Structure formats: structure tokens, C-alpha cells
Amino acid sequence: MSTNITLLGNFRVQDSNGGAVAVPAKKVQALIAVLALAHPREVNRERLLDLLWGDSDRGLARQSLRQALTTAKRSVGGVLRADRDLLSLDMDRCNVDLVAFLELSNADDIRSLHDAIEHYQGPLLEGLSISEDEFDHWLNVERARLSKLA
């Protein structure tokens, strides 16, 4: 069994038993979404700093990223992969509605396309705002792309 992460519509995480997992920090939710959308690629820490703490002093931004990663690890456990420079989600240990939606929407058969639509429960990270210009731009572009795809 694995962790379930919902990014389409309202952000939600459930543990392997179906219980709700609290991820109260908005920037941690945003971080998880960025990693999911990058799948199967990894995301450079510098890119995350630019997206989520672009207006902050670089030293403070790095400290904030470390804190966000600690919070994310407490919330989603072994789902997060991190090394010195790169971060990703371990898709063998989690199910992400967004990743399933993207994979199914690229299929040629009607059943897969129907299943893709079932995953699309609303805009990416509906209602989430973190007041970072670069993230807001990224989020609006991704929302528009995913909406058009749906």
C-alpha cells in the first residue's frame, strides 16, 4: 500500500490505510505539487528556491527549504527523495492523482481517457495561494494547461 496524494482540486494526502495526513504548510503543499508535476524528472533545489522563496534572501530561502523538507518528510515520509541538489517523489511509494491523470490522458483508448477525466476533480491546488510571483505564474500556466487537457 502507498500514500495517496491529491493535487487536482483541493490538496489532500492519505496514508496507506486511507487516513488523512495533515500537511498544513502551504509551501510544503506547493513543493509536493512541483515535484509531482516534474515526474519523472527531478527538481533542482535552486529551482524550488526560485519558485517558493524567490523574494527572500538566499540564505533565508535555503533555511526555509530545509524546514519545508523536514515538514514534508514528517508528513509524507519515504515518498520524498532528496539528495544534495535534486528532489523528487518516489512514485513506487505513492499514488498521485495528477500523475495518473497525465498518464491516462496520453492514451489512445476511450476507457483510459474516461479514467483520466475521473481523476480531474478541479484545478491544480484549488484555493492555494502563497504570494510568490514566480510560483503564481507557474501555477496559473499549469492550471491552464491541465484544464485544456481535461
Side-chain angles (χ1 to χ4, degrees):
M1 301 196 94
S2 60
T3 301
N4 292 306
I5 301 172
T6 302
L7 301 173
L8 295 170
N10 294 317
F11 180 91
R12 208 169 54 250
V13 177
Q14 293 177 301
D15 63 22
S16 59
N17 297 318
V21 175
V23 184
K26 291 180 180 182
K27 287 200 178 180
V28 174
Q29 294 175 14
L31 178 125
I32 291 169
V34 170
L35 296 178
L37 259 169
H39 176 74
R41 297 176 321 278
E42 298 169 312
V43 179
N44 185 290
R45 287 177 189 256
E46 293 298 316
R47 175 67 177 141
L48 292 169
L49 292 175
D50 291 341
L51 276 173
L52 302 174
W53 294 278
D55 296 333
S56 299
D57 169 80
R58 216 49 172 183
L60 291 174
R62 283 187 182 90
Q63 181 179 350
S64 294
L65 177 58
R66 281 191 299 274
Q67 290 172 341
L69 289 172
T70 298
T71 300
K73 285 177 184 176
R74 270 191 242 126
S75 298
V76 295
V79 167
L80 188 67
R81 284 195 219 168
D83 68 19
R84 185 164 175 80
D85 296 319
L86 300 172
L87 300 161
S88 64
L89 294 180
D90 184 347
M91 293 302 174
D92 292 333
R93 302 187 81 186
C94 67
N95 298 308
V96 181
D97 65 338
L98 173 62
V99 172
F101 169 75
L102 290 171
E103 288 172 357
L104 289 165
S105 65
N106 286 323
D108 292 330
D109 63 287
I110 288 292
R111 180 68 189 149
S112 293
L113 296 174
H114 183 268
D115 289 347
I117 289 298
E118 287 183 10
H119 283 285
Y120 192 84
Q121 297 297 308
L124 176 65
L125 300 174
E126 189 168 29
L128 180 76
S129 175
I130 62 168
S131 301
E132 287 288 339
D133 291 340
E134 191 160 344
F135 178 78
D136 289 341
H137 174 73
W138 174 88
L139 184 58
N140 288 330
V141 167
E142 291 301 329
R143 281 178 176 163
R145 179 178 74 90
L146 294 168
S147 176
K148 183 177 180 183
L149 187 57

